[in-house]
Amino acid sequence: MASASSTEPFFGIREEDHRNQMKQQQPASMPTSSSAAAPQTAAPVKKKRNLPGNPNPDAEVIALSPKALLATNRFICEVCNKGFQREQNLQLHRRGHNLPWKLRQKSTKEVRRRVYVCPETTCVHHDPSRALGDLTGIKKHFCRKHGEKKWKCDKCSKKYAVQSDWKAHSKTCGTREYRCDCGTLFSRRDSFITHRAFCDALAQESARIPTGLSTIGSHLYGNSSMALGLSQVNSQITSSLQVQSHQSSNNILRLGGGSGSGSHFEHLISSSNPSPFRPPQPLPSSAFFLGGASNQDFNEETQSHHSLLQNKPFHGLMQLPDLQSRATASSSTAAAANLFNLGFFSNSSSTSSISTSNITSNQNNHLLISDPFSSGNGSTESTTLFSGNFMSDHMAAGMSPLLNTSMRNESSLPQMSATALLQKAAQMGSTTSGGSSLLQGFSSASPSGSRSTSFQAIFNGGSNGSGDALRFQMENETRLQDLMNSLANGNAGLFGGSGGVAAFAGSCTTGGHEQQAGGIGGFNSGLCNMDEAKFQHNISPGNLGGSDGLTRDFLGVGNMVRSMGGGLSQRGRHHGIDISSMDHEMKSATSSQSFDGGTLQ
Amino acid sequence: MSLSPAAQLMSPPVPWLRELKADERGLCLIHLLLNCANHVAAGQLEHANAFLENISLLAAPDGDTMQRIATHFTEALARRVLRSWPGLYRALHPPTVPRLPPDALLARRHFFDLCPFVRLAFLVSNQAILEAMEGERVVHVVDLGGAASDAAQWAALLQALRVRPEGPPHLRLTVVHEHKEFLDLTATRLTEEAERLDVPFQFHPIVARLDNLDVEMLRIKTGEAVAISSVLQLHTLLAADDLAAVGGHQRKTAPPLAKNPSTTQLHRIVQMNHQGTLGEMLEKDHANGHSPSQDSASSSSLALTPSPKTECFLASLWGLSPKVMVVTEQESNHNGPKLTERFMEALNFYAALFDCLESTAPRMSVERARIEKMLFGEEIKNIIACEGGERRERHEKLEKWVQRLELAGFLRVPLSYLAMLQARRLLQSYGCEGYKVREEDGCFFFCWQDRPLFSVSAWGFRRF
């Protein structure tokens, strides 16, 4: 019975107050127990104290004023002003001052018994027939029932009007142990009684509610507590998006332009400490991971990276077939795919060792490394190598942790809770939209205006920088285009399931051609772009301004493309890059697909 | 714009939509829902329709948590869309005299049983009342709104009062509820209980809605110690303010307090329907007029929207000089002016509640489905689909209520440690670690994981 159970605690806890005469005044149907044992379970009376308020009829009835009753020390020593409650004590004290003293002798003759009534008119003890037999009794009664409870237990906040009650309680409060049948231990009786009430209720209820759910709950808890960390990060991200996007633009600038130091890059890859890149990192996946990890210490982070390594074969299994099938589909991208693949693996292994050239070197080194390749195999490969590195960097920094976490999740519980999903989604949304609402970035009805967001603008800046830097390395425009193209493809693939990197892709495109970037940027702002492209294009064909036909075409070819990849490959066309744009599309399509698989596992 | 692309859209996504993993599907659903809400808010019905079609492929009322949530949110969105064609809407949902659907009562009962929140609210409220009423001989408890439609709170209070050290007081209980049958049921039950416990007890039913309530009807007598309890009810007051604010210049006559609820009720409904569409139109214009950048500067400030009627009512409650008023409210802001804001807030709030259920009840549980449909689902529909006076689920966070109540003259009374102790014990007995009680400035928050879902605060006429 739910209602009954919820009141039990009151009953139980109040009971301790009951150990006074008042209680004995209850009608016979409510018998008293001399101990303070749990009244619900206690058997009716074991032993009867002589009931107070049943005085000798011929006793002298004394009514004291409340003041007299509350006065603690009525007998004052004239020498030291020390007060005493009893005259006898004062007399003994006077002896110490060498004052005349006199103890009253026990009179042999029969004294008339005195009884005391309570001055409170509403009180049962106000009636002389219910008077109490001794002065201390009436004093305590008056204090307890009608006085202020000024003695408070520090441990359990229980208040007492009589100091001695409080002292007695303080001695036992928290010392005794109570054990419920369910095995729970309690240090305080009131807690125990409260618990008992609900424990019984639970026993009744559990008959209706299937068992074993609590374990699921704890699993869920384990999961979402991690997600909770996320939400903090997320709120940070959302609240100060301006700042963060600025930061991330800086990072991108360094990354792309190669101006970033090696150590900075190391941060990106190793994630060994909260790198400057991490908080603003627009990847939902990485942010997702971050949320969990950023609150933890270093050890845990490295641990998770270890588990990332353990997961690595799994990546390989997942991705290699895809990449190889693509290799057969288009020979020109085969090398790229392989290289990309290599890059990925080398970097993810380097996550543990942090010693390969990729990591210790900065972006320039990357490009230098890629040069031999490019001389041997052509420009596309060099760029794809770069893209491979680029991607794998992100993989190591952001994506793989997601994989890692999500895999952990899968091993421990069937799926994420709705709360966790929302948080994850919010993380994604925060990268593109800004503001507190996920929705705001998605006003995709008018993508032409989407460039107005500061985020996009900052990305433009960042990517311009990277463009310049790349130009510095690259000898001709085509290479740049290729590089960017592959970057875009890589990004698109990488972020097949995430909006954040779409912004990256957007930035790459804006570096080259800001004209189109507007449209694409808006397009990129999707949260979970599995279908964004499709929706955009299918629902509002005019919205993307001229890219519609291409997209459709692309959709026709790629068919399985779910992401920006499509949109970005258009950019490739706009740029007039002719390196088998179809292949590019295919590549982006397939790679995005494979990464989709990877990211969303 | 033709609808044909949207129709084409249906064929390609189906295969891969179906084979999504649960988490992917969840994310996808969130994404689709948000986009859909955006389109609905912007009045782009073709787009909204396309999204709704896609969501329907993924959502399922008996699926995983996200699928269930999506089901109810899409229904709410669809309803909202439908409301822009009042004719269509009324044909499908003819205005009926509000009656108490037995399912709704049952759903509340299940919610009470399965999730500890309501029980916690009762427990803490009763403890606060009990502490405030210590030593009082005549206690008058006013329940604004039937304690979330459950007599359990008062049965519990009766028992608690019976065993208090100074003996039980004379208890008068006034319950305000809009359904007479509920009041009758409560009366019978509580009278029996009081008789059994031998507590002097009087029951006053008041058939009225909170926004119709005149404090005179409560018949507070001098000399009684008054306690007021509101469990998930106060927010309904805010609807009346909106009604006044939106339709103030449109309406010629606005009877502030209906003396005769039964006749004015129908009248009100007609008015509210009208106002609802009007409010919606206004909002639509509002949403269209906004550029995205303005949109991002969302109105999440703490500023209190003027709510003269609520203030007036709270002030009149204060005028009763209650020794304590205990307020339980949903800890979420579902009273934003913009649909998108409300949608987002509601999505988060109800996701947590759905998660609670997921952890407590199996997926095929009838009770769970009933809670989700009849309780949460109805609330979601109200938050998303309704406007104006019809939108009654105007949950607001405690910070706002603190402002309002302090404005009305109330002083916050910290809830006691004992109350916390009892709440903790209750949660312990649930055996599910997800539930938590948090204390902040003497108020309690009932949380799922770390997300506060309900708040309880106690208020006094004077500082104790």
Side-chain angles (χ1 to χ4, degrees):
Chain A
M1 176 82 195
S3 60
S5 64
S6 54
T7 51
E8 293 293 8
F10 305 143
F11 186 87
I13 286 155
R14 293 281 154 191
E15 198 57 34
E16 265 183 33
D17 279 346
H18 255 239
R19 288 175 293 163
N20 51 44
Q21 291 97 333
M22 192 65 178
K23 190 173 168 186
Q24 272 79 16
Q25 297 303 315
Q26 300 291 339
S29 64
M30 168 98 180
T32 60
S33 52
S34 56
S35 75
Q40 301 97 312
T41 54
V45 205
K46 282 160 260 166
K47 172 190 129 190
K48 261 192 186 172
R49 275 201 311 216
N50 53 340
L51 286 169
N54 228 347
N56 195 336
D58 56 341
E60 181 187 1
V61 177
I62 293 172
L64 288 166
S65 72
K67 206 179 163 191
L69 284 172
L70 288 171
T72 43
N73 300 325
R74 289 201 298 154
F75 305 97
I76 312 289
C77 168
E78 62 260 43
V79 177
C80 62
N81 280 331
K82 193 168 159 65
F84 294 91
Q85 288 186 20
R86 291 165 208 275
E87 201 195 346
Q88 299 286 73
N89 292 345
L90 175 63
Q91 293 301 331
L92 288 169
H93 172 81
R94 285 167 71 92
R95 211 169 43 166
H97 288 303
N98 277 332
L99 287 167
W101 58 278
K102 184 186 161 212
L103 279 177
R104 240 181 327 163
Q105 298 301 311
K106 195 159 183 130
S107 65
T108 46
K109 69 165 186 179
E110 183 82 11
V111 281
R112 203 177 166 203
R113 270 199 80 84
R114 292 188 206 175
V115 292
Y116 303 86
V117 292
C118 177
E120 188 72 28
T121 50
T122 53
C123 181
V124 281
H125 296 292
H126 185 65
D127 189 335
S129 68
R130 305 287 299 275
L132 297 176
D134 67 323
L135 184 60
T136 325
I138 194 72
K139 275 184 176 176
K140 284 192 173 169
H141 157 79
F142 188 74
C143 276
R144 282 178 184 135
K145 292 300 131 196
H146 316 295
E148 186 198 356
K149 296 186 170 180
K150 47 191 173 187
W151 303 96
K152 187 174 174 184
C153 174
D154 293 333
K155 290 177 217 158
C156 68
S157 300
K158 204 162 154 43
K159 285 197 224 163
Y160 292 91
V162 178
Q163 194 189 7
S164 57
D165 290 356
W166 171 76
K167 269 187 184 160
H169 165 83
S170 299
K171 270 181 200 155
T172 53
C173 183
T175 56
R176 279 181 288 178
E177 280 194 340
Y178 298 88
R179 184 188 291 273
C180 177
D181 296 338
C182 71
T184 325
L185 267 178
F186 294 94
S187 55
R188 284 203 302 273
R189 195 180 146 276
D190 54 350
S191 321
F192 168 66
I193 289 167
T194 315
H195 164 81
R196 275 304 290 256
F198 287 112
C199 195
D200 294 339
L202 184 73
Q204 288 162 12
E205 209 133 299
S206 61
R208 274 182 292 146
I209 300 169
T211 52
L213 291 165
S214 57
T215 53
I216 295 173
S218 65
H219 281 309
L220 278 171
Y221 170 55
N223 171 37
S224 357
S225 69
M226 182 178 67
L228 284 180
L230 296 172
S231 74
Q232 291 165 359
V233 172
N234 174 35
S235 62
Q236 280 173 1
I237 290 176
T238 49
S239 61
S240 58
L241 188 84
Q242 284 286 50
V243 178
Q244 284 169 353
S245 54
H246 190 70
Q247 280 176 338
S248 60
S249 81
N250 284 342
N251 283 311
I252 290 154
L253 199 130
R254 278 188 231 158
L255 187 74
S259 61
S261 65
S263 66
H264 173 68
F265 213 74
E266 226 169 62
H267 282 312
L268 269 182
I269 296 161
S270 68
S271 315
S272 58
N273 53 10
S275 72
F277 190 76
R278 296 185 105 206
Q281 190 155 21
L283 307 189
S285 51
S286 69
F288 178 70
F289 172 67
L290 271 181
S294 59
N295 293 332
Q296 296 162 358
D297 57 11
F298 174 78
N299 279 341
E300 275 182 76
E301 274 193 45
T302 46
Q303 268 183 347
S304 55
H305 277 278
H306 279 300
S307 51
L308 156 71
L309 285 173
Q310 285 161 4
N311 290 334
K312 192 184 67 180
F314 186 46
H315 287 262
L317 284 175
M318 287 197 43
Q319 285 169 4
L320 274 168
D322 276 337
L323 291 164
Q324 270 158 9
S325 67
R326 193 172 335 112
T328 56
S330 61
S331 60
S332 71
T333 51
N338 287 331
L339 275 171
F340 154 67
N341 217 1
L342 279 171
F344 172 70
F345 279 122
S346 69
N347 261 352
S348 50
S349 64
S350 68
T351 319
S352 62
S353 61
I354 318 179
S355 61
T356 67
S357 61
N358 274 348
I359 297 154
T360 49
S361 65
N362 59 19
Q363 193 66 45
N364 289 333
N365 287 344
H366 274 283
L367 289 170
L368 287 174
I369 289 167
S370 70
D371 272 343
F373 275 100
S374 66
S375 62
N377 293 327
S379 60
T380 39
E381 288 185 5
S382 78
T383 55
T384 42
L385 171 66
F386 172 55
S387 84
N389 284 334
F390 188 82
M391 289 167 72
S392 56
D393 290 341
H394 279 282
M395 270 307 201
M399 224 46 140
S400 306
L402 167 69
L403 282 165
N404 175 29
T405 36
S406 58
M407 276 201 240
R408 260 191 299 175
N409 284 347
E410 264 177 292
S411 63
S412 63
L413 77 159
Q415 67 176 95
M416 291 163 76
S417 69
T419 322
L421 279 171
L422 271 168
Q423 276 155 353
K424 190 173 169 185
Q427 220 96 44
M428 294 168 162
S430 69
T431 60
T432 53
S433 63
S436 58
S437 167
L438 267 178
L439 290 164
Q440 284 157 5
F442 298 136
S443 46
S444 47
S446 56
S448 57
S450 63
R451 270 197 65 196
S452 64
T453 62
S454 58
F455 195 71
Q456 209 72 39
I458 288 164
F459 263 99
N460 275 346
S463 57
N464 279 337
S466 71
D468 288 343
L470 289 169
R471 220 174 302 244
F472 185 72
Q473 289 288 331
M474 293 295 165
E475 280 149 20
N476 53 31
E477 178 71 15
T478 335
R479 268 203 192 178
L480 172 63
Q481 299 292 350
D482 284 346
L483 172 63
M484 293 185 62
N485 192 21
S486 56
L487 265 174
N489 285 336
N491 281 332
L494 178 54
F495 304 107
S498 62
V501 189
F504 263 101
S507 73
C508 289
T509 52
T510 50
H513 290 255
E514 292 187 21
Q515 298 291 321
Q516 278 97 26
I520 294 167
F523 179 64
N524 282 342
S525 64
L527 155 63
C528 146
N529 32 38
M530 306 163 140
D531 46 354
E532 177 82 358
K534 282 185 182 173
F535 280 125
Q536 290 283 339
H537 295 289
N538 285 324
I539 297 168
S540 51
N543 275 342
L544 274 165
S547 59
D548 181 41
L550 286 170
T551 315
R552 278 222 191 114
D553 185 20
F554 160 69
L555 281 174
V557 176
N559 198 21
M560 288 297 283
V561 177
R562 312 163 177 181
S563 72
M564 274 34 196
L568 291 162
S569 66
Q570 296 161 16
R571 184 201 46 78
R573 286 196 177 179
H574 281 294
H575 288 246
I577 297 164
D578 292 329
I579 314 169
S580 62
S581 55
M582 224 49 174
D583 284 345
H584 272 277
E585 282 171 2
M586 287 295 283
K587 182 172 66 179
S588 70
T590 36
S591 69
S592 75
Q593 192 194 341
S594 67
F595 272 92
D596 268 350
T599 51
L600 289 168
Q601 281 309 304
Chain B
M1 211 176 292
S2 89
L3 274 172
S4 51
Q8 278 177 8
L9 173 78
M10 295 313 299
S11 37
V14 175
W16 65 266
L17 274 177
R18 282 271 155 82
E19 65 200 28
L20 285 174
K21 291 219 166 58
D23 285 359
E24 297 169 336
R25 188 176 52 214
L27 281 175
C28 193
L29 272 172
I30 293 170
H31 170 64
L32 291 171
L33 277 172
L34 294 181
N35 275 295
C36 185
N38 236 11
H39 287 304
V40 171
Q44 290 160 323
L45 301 188
E46 290 91 346
H47 295 190
N49 182 54
F51 275 103
L52 284 174
E53 265 183 298
N54 272 274
I55 296 170
S56 70
L57 293 173
L58 292 175
D62 54 355
D64 64 39
T65 326
M66 209 56 228
Q67 286 180 301
R68 287 163 176 259
I69 293 167
T71 310
H72 296 290
F73 273 89
T74 37
E75 193 185 337
L77 283 173
R79 229 167 228 263
R80 190 183 172 90
V81 171
L82 203 56
R83 269 175 187 252
S84 44
W85 288 288
L88 263 182
Y89 182 79
R90 287 222 195 111
L92 287 172
H93 307 278
T96 50
V97 180
R99 50 178 191 86
L100 193 62
D103 260 14
L105 252 188
L106 260 181
R108 283 193 185 280
R109 186 74 218 173
H110 296 322
F111 183 53
F112 178 86
D113 287 339
L114 288 179
C115 295
F117 299 119
V118 182
R119 201 178 287 231
L120 277 173
F122 288 176
L123 183 76
V124 173
S125 300
N126 277 355
Q127 181 62 25
I129 292 172
L130 210 61
E131 282 167 17
M133 292 298 146
E134 216 169 72
E136 295 291 344
R137 305 306 307 163
V138 182
V139 173
H140 188 166
V141 176
V142 177
D143 178 3
L144 303 175
S149 300
D150 206 300
Q153 182 181 8
W154 308 124
L157 186 69
L158 277 172
Q159 299 198 16
L161 286 173
R162 186 187 75 127
V163 297
R164 67 176 198 169
E166 63 268 37
H170 184 108
L171 176 66
R172 296 213 311 143
L173 178 65
T174 300
V175 178
V176 182
H177 201 276
E178 57 182 310
H179 298 294
K180 191 170 180 306
E181 52 272 52
F182 168 78
L183 287 170
D184 292 344
L185 219 83
T186 312
T188 329
R189 201 187 142 193
L190 289 179
T191 314
E192 269 172 23
E193 183 76 3
E195 215 153 287
R196 193 176 69 79
L197 297 171
D198 198 24
V199 175
F201 178 69
Q202 264 180 290
F203 187 80
H204 287 290
I206 295 182
V207 184
R209 263 167 51 160
L210 198 52
D211 42 5
N212 272 339
L213 185 72
D214 185 347
V215 286
E216 294 292 305
M217 293 151 84
L218 299 175
R219 287 191 286 163
I220 306 291
K221 294 177 189 160
T222 48
E224 26 180 52
V226 178
I228 302 174
S229 162
S230 162
V231 178
L232 311 179
Q233 287 298 322
L234 273 194
H235 58 259
T236 55
L237 283 172
L238 300 171
D241 279 320
D242 198 50
L243 185 67
V246 174
H249 55 281
Q250 299 280 333
R251 270 190 298 165
K252 289 175 187 74
T253 54
L257 289 174
K259 288 288 175 202
N260 189 347
S262 55
T263 50
T264 43
Q265 203 121 35
L266 261 175
H267 181 59
R268 280 182 61 86
I269 285 154
V270 174
Q271 273 185 339
M272 282 188 309
N273 269 342
H274 173 66
Q275 293 307 331
T277 28
L278 180 82
E280 194 177 54
M281 301 279 278
L282 284 177
E283 201 203 14
K284 219 184 271 176
D285 287 345
H286 189 64
N288 282 333
H290 266 279
S291 71
S293 57
Q294 269 174 300
D295 228 41
S296 62
S298 80
S299 58
S300 57
S301 68
L302 259 178
L304 210 55
T305 47
S307 45
K309 281 195 75 174
T310 311
E311 279 163 30
C312 184
F313 182 77
L314 291 178
S316 64
L317 283 184
W318 182 82
L320 303 174
S321 45
K323 283 196 89 175
V324 70
M325 174 155 100
V326 195
V327 178
T328 307
E329 276 297 317
Q330 282 90 344
E331 179 68 2
S332 189
N333 181 21
H334 297 153
N335 196 18
K338 285 203 211 75
L339 174 68
T340 48
E341 273 175 44
R342 291 207 307 267
F343 190 88
M344 207 49 224
E345 281 277 337
L347 195 58
N348 278 299
F349 180 78
Y350 287 100
L353 278 176
F354 275 70
D355 279 343
C356 289
L357 286 180
E358 170 83 9
S359 77
T360 317
R363 292 211 171 141
M364 298 321 283
S365 155
V366 183
E367 288 81 15
R368 178 176 168 185
R370 198 174 279 140
I371 298 172
E372 288 175 348
K373 184 170 163 49
M374 297 308 297
L375 192 62
F376 298 163
E378 288 300 317
E379 285 178 7
I380 293 166
K381 263 189 255 171
N382 194 273
I383 293 165
I384 305 295
C386 295
E387 283 303 338
E390 242 174 319
R391 186 156 63 79
R392 297 185 73 217
E393 303 295 340
R394 291 168 181 261
H395 314 144
E396 290 198 353
K397 293 199 172 184
L398 182 64
E399 55 202 18
K400 292 252 178 107
W401 286 113
V402 166
Q403 288 182 30
R404 279 208 182 86
L405 288 161
E406 278 174 354
L407 210 68
F410 284 98
L411 288 166
R412 203 174 333 179
V413 185
L415 293 164
S416 71
Y417 179 80
L418 198 58
M420 173 58 86
L421 205 77
Q422 292 179 357
R424 291 242 166 92
R425 293 285 171 263
L426 171 60
L427 285 187
Q428 211 168 45
S429 72
Y430 262 74
C432 178
E433 288 161 52
Y435 301 110
K436 282 180 198 139
V437 182
R438 220 167 58 202
E439 190 255 327
E440 234 168 73
D441 295 333
C443 302
F444 289 178
F445 291 97
F446 306 145
C447 311
W448 170 251
Q449 308 301 2
D450 275 353
R451 192 200 153 88
L453 292 177
F454 298 93
S455 70
V456 184
S457 54
W459 300 84
F461 181 67
R462 58 181 171 82
R463 205 178 285 280
F464 287 92

